[in-house]
Amino acid sequence: GGSTLTRTFLTNVTQGGVVTFAGNLSNTNTTIFSKTGFSEMVLSGTNAQINTNTADTNYGRSVYIDQGILTVGQDANIGSTSILTTAQSHVNGPGDVVIRGGVFRTTGSFSTARQFVLATAAGGLDVTSGNTLTLTAPTAGALALTKFGTGTLALNPASNGNNTITTLTIGGAPLALAPTMVTEIGRAHV
C-alpha cells in the first residue's frame, strides 16, 4: 500500500556530458526512478526501487526513461530484482523499464527478465561493443524500436515470446542524436 514516490533525475549538462550516480536507490516507499534531461546518466549502484502498490496503474515499474541516455552495466543497476506477481499491466518478474523517449544503454553483458515497455517510438536500446543484452520477457507496447551500438540484442531466446515490437531498426539515427529523442511525455517532469 501507500502512495507512489517518483524520483526524477533531470540531467542537463553539455551534450556528451555524463552524470554518474554510484549510490544505491532504496525502496523505503513505493518508488519509481524517472530519467529526464538531455544528458547521459549512469546508474552504477545496486538499486532497489520498484512500485509494489498493486492498486496503482504503475505497479511493477522500476524505471522510466523520458529523455537522454540511461546507462547501466548490470541488471541490479536498474532497480529491484525481486519478482513481483502479475497485476495491472506488469507481468510476473522484476521491475519494468518504460521507454518514453531517450535511450537505454548497457555497457555490460547481462540477461534480464524485466519487461521493456515501449511507450513511444522515440526511443531505443544501445548495446555497446562486445556486450550482449538478453531480454527474456516479451516487450510491451506495439511500437517501433531502434537498436543502437555494435553489441548484441537477444530477444526472448528461451521463451520465443510474443514481442510487441512493430518495427526493429538496427542502427537508426546516430547515437549522438539520442538526447533529442523525446516526446511530450519526455518534456514533462513526472
Side-chain angles (χ1 to χ4, degrees), residues 61-126:
R61 307 295 197 233
S62 279
V63 171
Y64 285 104
I65 303 170
D66 293 334
Q67 292 175 311
I69 301 169
L70 179 66
T71 300
V72 301
Q74 59 184 336
D75 197 34
N77 300 147
I78 301 169
S80 175
T81 56
S82 297
I83 305 299
L84 294 181
T85 59
T86 300
Q88 302 291 347
S89 62
H90 175 76
V91 296
N92 190 51
D96 304 334
V97 175
V98 182
I99 300 174
R100 301 190 296 193
V103 172
F104 176 87
R105 172 187 283 165
T106 180
T107 57
S109 291
F110 63 91
S111 178
T112 183
R114 296 176 191 280
Q115 184 174 48
F116 277 66
V117 179
L118 309 175
T120 178
L125 299 174
D126 177 23

Side-chain angles (χ1 to χ4, degrees), residues 28 43 75 110 117 123 149-150 179 183:
T28 54
L43 295 179
D75 197 34
F110 63 91
V117 179
T150 58
T183 65

